[in-house]
Amino acid sequence: MADHTTGHHRPPRHRLRAGLAALAATALAATSITVVALTSTATPARAAGLSPFDIPGRGATVPFVEHEAEEVTHTGTRIGPDRRYGTLPSEASGREAVTLDAVGEYVEFTLTRPADAVTFRYSLPDNAAGTGRDASIDLRANGTLVKAVPVTSRYGWYYGGYPFNNNPGDTNPHHFYDETRTFLGATYPAGTRIRLQVSSTAQSPTFTIDLADFELVGAPIAKPAGVLDVVTDFGADPTGATDSTAKFQAAVDAGKAQGRAVWIPTGTFTLWDHVVVDGVTLRGAGPWYSVLGGRHPTDRKRAAGIYGKYVPGGGYTGEVRTHEAGGPSRNVTLRDFAIIGDIRERIDDDQVNAIGGAMSNSVVDNVWMQHTKVGAWMDGPMDNFTIRNSRILDQTADGVNFHTGVTNSTVTNTFVRNTGDDALAMWAQNVPNVNNSFTFNTIGVTILANHLVSYGGRDIKITDNVTADSVTNGGGIHVANRYPGVQGPTAVLGTWTVARNTLIRNGNSDYNWQFGVGAIWFSALNEAFQNPTINITDTDILDSSYAALHWIEGQTNGINLTNVRIDGAGTYALQVQAASRVSFTNVRATRIAQANPMHNCVGSGFQITQGAGNSGWYTANPYCGPWPQPQWGNGPTSPPPTSPTPTPTASPTDPPPTGGNLARGRPVTASSSNQTYTAGNAVDGNAGSYWESANSAFPQTLTVDLGAARQVDRVVLTLPPGWERRTQTVAVLGSTDGSTYTTLKASAGYTLDPASGNTVSIPLPAGDRRFVRLSVTGNTGWPAAQLAEFEVYGGSTPPPTTPAPTTPPPTTAPPSGNLAVGRPATATSHSDVYVAPNAVDGNAGSYWESANNAFPQSLTVDLGATQQVSRVVLRLPPSGTWQSRTQTLSVSGSTNGSTYTTVKASAGYTFDPATGNAVTITFAPTGQRYLRLTVTGNTGWPAGQIGEFEVHRS
């Protein structure tokens, strides 16, 4: 984890392995130019270990196809498998690669899909000075030279202890690999042979190739109408020859002032400093076309990056210049460009990250981040921040870190590889992190620390991710009270959901502790866990390098493992080094290296509750003794089924289930798609992904095939929750045969507003349809059709966010008792999934929460008709993790929904878990249809919060 003063166990220096020293000596040896072509026979393609892209339904949806070098035809030397820290194969994907060390040697990939671009991962040796070397390697298509591609080791090879240095004379060399990308110059069809071939060993004695990612990038995104252009309007230099920082800053400042998006055209732009954004959209022609980079030539702590404003007293405690102050920034969108930096060392105090500062209600979408210190180090407090559909590669430290008071924020559908520290992290230093999530991400090769981790935090979600190949001092998923400022209210609290993750070759040896770290591990170093609920479900832990599950450093509790598959572990199924209370249900372990599957030296301090279905991991007589050497390669070679996740979609001619969203997972087509925003995103059940049509090309259509004629009477359209308000003009059509369509709903404007969940429901005349089509002819927010979810319902089946079918319509009086339960409720704002209807759903465990730091806020319920009322009861969730707090609020009422009178003047009401976290407010009987709470303060959290809003007659 970057930007901190406490190292990862700060290891003592120790003797370099003899084998690695020999490797380094060979790499640095002078070599002569060889001009004789290699004539040896090529090694044919063969299968290797599991790839993170082998797992269906989990991880990120990426635009490329990955090919491992060791699996394809080559004439080099296959290295590995080896998981020992400090060896070249240990940092390769799958722990294997191919080394080319003579002219003419090659690795040859055969395209399985058309491609016009490639990113390949490779390693060159360092030079004697530790500054790296430059070389080139030929790229050939079907034997014909396409180009010589520059490669370098300037961004790799770190030495010594944390936070590391560039001195080859020190111990612990690591971070060997880098990546480069290039266009192929044409679109090559499937079946084309793309070769990386050595033309000279004068600049580098060896070229180690790990993998290649091939993709079809296509043309750049067209410039939308009405934007400000950093080049034509502000004079930025698209050649990169001069510093454009001031030009970009002027552009984004003008964009905020004028309410206009700022456009980055095709080009490579040099920035010597941060560009500070607030209340503006900054977007480009695509991450392969619009590229930001650069670093100040003398002030090396200044470099290219897009930053929000810092929050006074927040997570960042360094120098704050005037234009960086007054955060958080709000309503920022960063989209469709790349930040490829020039950071070659790790200095944690330097703010040389791709994205940083604080941004609330903001989105980073389809941004490529490479060669910076951290992809996105976000210093809160801040709220409702999303990174999605992005790539984070080759960082000297973390991929992402949500640091200090980050709430309701997420990283989703993002690919991360080759980070020098935690890939995706949350660190609740001094201010709680609450309700953040890491979902549907794919992470490959994390050099130091963990793939996924939260240091403290409340109500954290880590779901549907795939992780592979952690190298040292960490594991796959880490839940911990560790690092400064993580204790008390910032510690591990609330309900954690860790579900549907697949971990491949996770866990490793800690070079200071001198024993293995588990694939999933728990630590209470700073303080014991205070009874959180940590649910780990439907998870596959495959081919772990050491133990699959690990407890260390202090007492933990509240951990529940259900439907967990452990298949292959280098040492144990369970490694117990600290007390805990854990429940196991349907946890199955196979292919564990040690005959005794459990290492436990704390005895009865590790308390196990067993449910049904467990096997392979439990023994009444666990081992306690010296650490065994790991035995690797015990895991599966083909992916396990990812059940009990939803059943795979039936074939197009089979009907879907009769209830719920009929469109989810069904075949879907669109008239066009923009880059990775394909039609399938609109029926995948993930509101963080979305379909976007070609820009500036209305009309556009999106059509779903329900598999058979189904009763259809409503569609629900959704955009990602962090997006700005916009109105799309949409017609709905239906067909039974897919050729003849009739209009079900004439074209009209539908407003998607984040204040109401960015969702609209469109009722339709009931009838049987197999194909349902949306025709979009306008969008006030962007010149394209955009949908995150296209849901179809029939037979009065409600969407998940609407009241139950038995709820009376708004004009019918509800029954006696709690008059508000199930009634329509609205709010001035909400945070993430904490929407107004949660306060009237009869479940005090769910709740409404307003936008943070934005009082006053109101919550209004419609009783359906004027009722005599004299009492409201307000509840917060009863869980002990909700501390006592006082909310200042008033109650007002209305008979028509427009004119309100005060029913109860503003006062402070204390919610105390010792008395059920409920307050009762009485007032003189009054006839009202609408009851409104107006909240102006909250001592426990800077927002209005209500678990249940009850209204009673007496």
Side-chain angles (χ1 to χ4, degrees), residues 479 708 796 844:
V479 178
S796 299

Side-chain angles (χ1 to χ4, degrees), residues 610-674:
Q610 288 212 49
N614 296 314
S615 63
W617 57 266
Y618 179 75
T619 174
N621 299 294
Y623 171 78
C624 177
W627 299 109
Q629 289 297 311
Q631 301 174 32
W632 294 320
N634 300 317
T637 57
S638 59
T642 53
S643 59
T645 50
T647 304
T649 303
S651 65
T653 56
D654 294 332
T658 56
N661 173 16
L662 305 178
R664 182 169 180 175
R666 303 304 305 169
V668 62
T669 57
S671 51
S672 69
S673 294
N674 184 13

Side-chain angles (χ1 to χ4, degrees), residues 835-897:
V835 294
N838 290 353
V840 292
D841 63 359
N843 174 18
S846 65
Y847 60 96
W848 163 72
E849 181 175 296
S850 73
N852 289 197
N853 301 303
F855 290 119
Q857 297 287 340
S858 68
L859 177 68
T860 305
V861 62
D862 177 1
L863 303 181
T866 298
Q867 304 287 328
Q868 285 293 312
V869 296
S870 63
R871 177 168 56 99
V872 298
V873 177
L874 309 180
R875 303 183 188 276
L876 287 180
S879 168
T881 59
W882 282 67
Q883 300 92 354
S884 177
R885 68 199 62 204
T886 298
Q887 297 195 65
T888 304
L889 56 89
S890 62
V891 184
S892 56
S894 173
T895 57
N896 58 15

